[in-house]
Amino acid sequence: MPMLLKTMDLPESSAPTLQLVQATEPEIIESSTLGSISWKGPLDTSDYLRREAHLRNQRLTRDGGITYWILVDTAAAPTPGGSRRILASCETIRKRALIAQPGAAVRETICHGIGSVHCNQHYRGRGFGRRMMVELANILDTWQQKEGERADCSVLWSDIGKDFYARLGWKTYPSKHIALPPKSSHEHAVGFPKVVTLASEDIYGICSTDEANLRSEMAKSTLAGSSIGVALIPDAATMRWHHAREEFLAKVLLGRWPTSKGAMAEAPDGERVWCIWTRTFGASQDQSVLHILRLSVEGESNLGQSASSKPTDTPHDHAQKAQVKAIAAVLQAAQVEAFDWGMSSVQIWNPSPLSILAARHLEPSAEIVERHDESLASLRWHGKPMPDDAKIDWISNEKFGWC
């Protein structure tokens, strides 16, 4: 570990010599080691570093898909090992997204997801984290965009409340979830459609269908005034990144391999419902959760509606009743999977009104939980300035987008 700077030797956070730069390979390892104190969970530092290296080598992150940033003082002497002293660090992951605007065709864009934001614990309280995010916002305006074009947006999930990132331009969006308890297969409710378990090889076709449906629904959606619809694309590369994470932890911690990746059911009218899940392993059982990465209903046209919308007590018609039962069927499969893996709960982020009805069909007392301190979805608009009354709708704001 490089020698720490004394407080009196630290630059001011406003110093013009501070710069946000891409990390070298040794600096990536150093920043990951520093961040392991906050992010390693049940892993030891060595396994955490191996996991991070594994996640760097996924389809989503290869070939420039992930960028490691460090805030350094360009006027400071290098460490004895030749590295620059890291004041703060973060990562950005290149994600595919869709933009819908009134009077225009739905278009694909690049949206960067920001993660692993960390300030060296010995240098905190000096404003370096804020300076890093200001510099990053400026860089992301054009980062990995076509020459002469600006980015549309970037996203992050705050674990330090709403205020810090909101003041820097990342607006907080609905960050709610509904939790279901794990249940054994012997506790199965009856009267639901048949469920098929999804394996890794099923994910690519499912995600391709899901993306096509999402594009179609966004093209048909009605946006008020100058509103803009933004949706991260739930593609196979994104799901594979999440699954690579769970597989590594399952093998290291439990010596098991998670073969099931989700579940699918079919409503009587032929419309399919599916969910893709991942297991999150915490330092204790109550921190271990089976997360629904994506829950999709063919033909469900309620884009932009989520737990922020007030759900009705009952479905409106026969078709919706069938959809609710199909959703309940795949959520029940998730409950059984959570039980098998010793998870504390199944969580569905920002569930749609129909998903809420399905969850309460399984667990009548299930409540919508609003998160205030962790995993707060936040979005910054980098595109052209918008009218004061313009609104950005974050569509399909689900767990799969998290990084």
Side-chain angles (χ1 to χ4, degrees):
M1 184 67 65
M3 183 170 51
L4 297 173
L5 291 171
K6 296 178 181 178
T7 302
M8 66 184 69
D9 297 326
L10 289 170
E12 295 293 327
S13 62
S14 59
T17 54
L18 293 190
Q19 189 175 353
L20 189 64
V21 299
Q22 293 184 57
T24 63
E25 188 64 31
E27 290 166 343
I28 291 173
I29 296 173
E30 182 185 340
S31 62
S32 295
T33 302
L34 289 168
S36 68
I37 298 170
S38 301
W39 314 122
K40 66 182 180 180
L43 298 174
D44 61 29
T45 301
S46 175
D47 283 335
Y48 172 78
L49 293 177
R50 289 199 302 118
R51 187 197 73 181
E52 292 303 287
H54 179 58
L55 292 178
R56 286 176 60 191
N57 195 32
Q58 302 303 312
R59 179 180 166 191
L60 181 68
T61 49
R62 286 195 295 262
D63 302 322
I66 187 170
T67 306
Y68 296 85
W69 303 97
I70 56 173
L71 184 72
V72 300
D73 183 4
T74 57
T79 69
S83 297
R84 296 163 288 192
R85 283 188 172 84
I86 298 172
L87 303 175
S89 61
C90 65
E91 307 162 1
T92 53
I93 295 179
R94 185 175 59 214
K95 295 172 176 284
R96 298 169 61 227
L98 298 173
I99 302 290
Q101 293 176 272
V106 173
R107 60 183 174 85
E108 184 172 329
T109 188
I110 290 174
C111 172
H112 286 98
I114 304 165
S116 299
V117 178
H118 183 265
C119 186
N120 189 319
Q121 63 177 339
H122 301 287
Y123 305 150
R124 291 176 182 170
R126 308 278 301 192
F128 295 137
R130 182 184 185 282
R131 174 65 183 272
M132 176 176 69
M133 297 307 295
V134 169
E135 297 291 329
L136 182 65
N138 292 331
I139 290 172
L140 292 184
D141 281 344
T142 56
W143 181 245
Q144 295 183 330
Q145 305 296 324
K146 294 179 181 178
E147 186 174 355
E149 294 185 5
R150 284 181 65 92
D152 288 291
C153 58
S154 61
V155 293
L156 58 83
W157 283 260
S158 172
D159 288 331
I160 54 173
K162 299 179 180 180
D163 295 341
F164 177 78
Y165 292 109
R167 286 196 295 265
L168 298 172
W170 280 274
K171 178 187 174 183
T172 305
Y173 278 73
S175 299
K176 303 179 181 182
H177 68 262
I178 199 164
L180 295 172
K183 287 189 176 181
S184 73
S185 57
H186 302 297
E187 301 175 272
H188 253 195
V190 296
F192 293 151
K194 182 181 177 181
V195 171
V196 176
T197 300
L198 300 177
S200 291
E201 57 267 24
D202 300 315
I203 299 302
Y204 295 92
I206 289 293
C207 288
S208 178
T209 299
D210 196 7
E211 179 179 339
N213 292 342
L214 179 61
R215 287 176 181 269
S216 176
E217 289 299 322
M218 289 184 69
K220 292 185 293 185
S221 66
T222 302
L223 294 168
S226 53
S227 295
I228 296 175
V230 175
L232 298 177
I233 296 176
D235 56 23
T238 299
M239 304 305 176
R240 180 61 206 143
W241 181 83
H242 284 283
H243 291 154
R245 186 186 187 95
E246 72 161 358
E247 289 162 2
F248 183 93
L249 270 81
K251 184 177 180 181
V252 169
L253 298 175
L254 302 174
R256 295 180 64 183
W257 190 262
T259 55
S260 67
K261 304 301 182 184
M264 176 183 288
E266 188 172 303
D269 58 3
E271 291 181 340
R272 297 178 301 170
V273 172
W274 62 81
C275 69
I276 300 174
W277 59 56
T278 192
R279 303 154 186 83
T280 300
F281 297 93
S284 60
Q285 184 187 19
D286 65 313
Q287 296 175 326
S288 298
V289 174
L290 190 139
H291 279 107
I292 302 300
L293 293 173
R294 170 72 168 158
L295 198 158
S296 188
V297 180
E298 286 184 321
E300 184 182 17
S301 56
N302 57 0
L303 292 181
Q305 297 185 43
S306 67
S308 59
S309 309
K310 185 176 180 180
T312 57
D313 293 328
T314 57
H316 292 301
D317 52 37
H318 176 74
Q320 282 196 345
K321 287 180 180 179
Q323 288 177 333
V324 167
K325 281 193 173 183
I327 296 170
V330 297
L331 292 180
Q332 183 171 246
Q335 288 180 287
V336 173
E337 192 69 16
F339 181 87
D340 181 53
W341 282 83
M343 305 272 122
S344 65
S345 65
V346 175
Q347 281 190 17
I348 310 103
W349 281 15
N350 296 319
S352 70
L354 291 184
S355 296
I356 294 170
L357 289 173
R360 289 177 175 164
H361 193 83
L362 296 169
E363 194 70 25
S365 62
E367 294 292 333
I368 297 170
V369 177
E370 183 171 5
R371 301 188 299 277
H372 297 284
D373 300 312
E374 61 180 6
S375 297
L376 305 183
S378 307
L379 183 148
R380 177 188 176 94
W381 182 252
H382 294 263
K384 296 178 180 178
M386 299 186 302
D388 292 339
D389 62 345
K391 178 185 176 184
I392 297 177
D393 291 327
W394 187 342
I395 297 165
S396 300
N397 177 7
E398 299 175 57
K399 177 69 177 183
F400 74 86
W402 175 93
C403 59

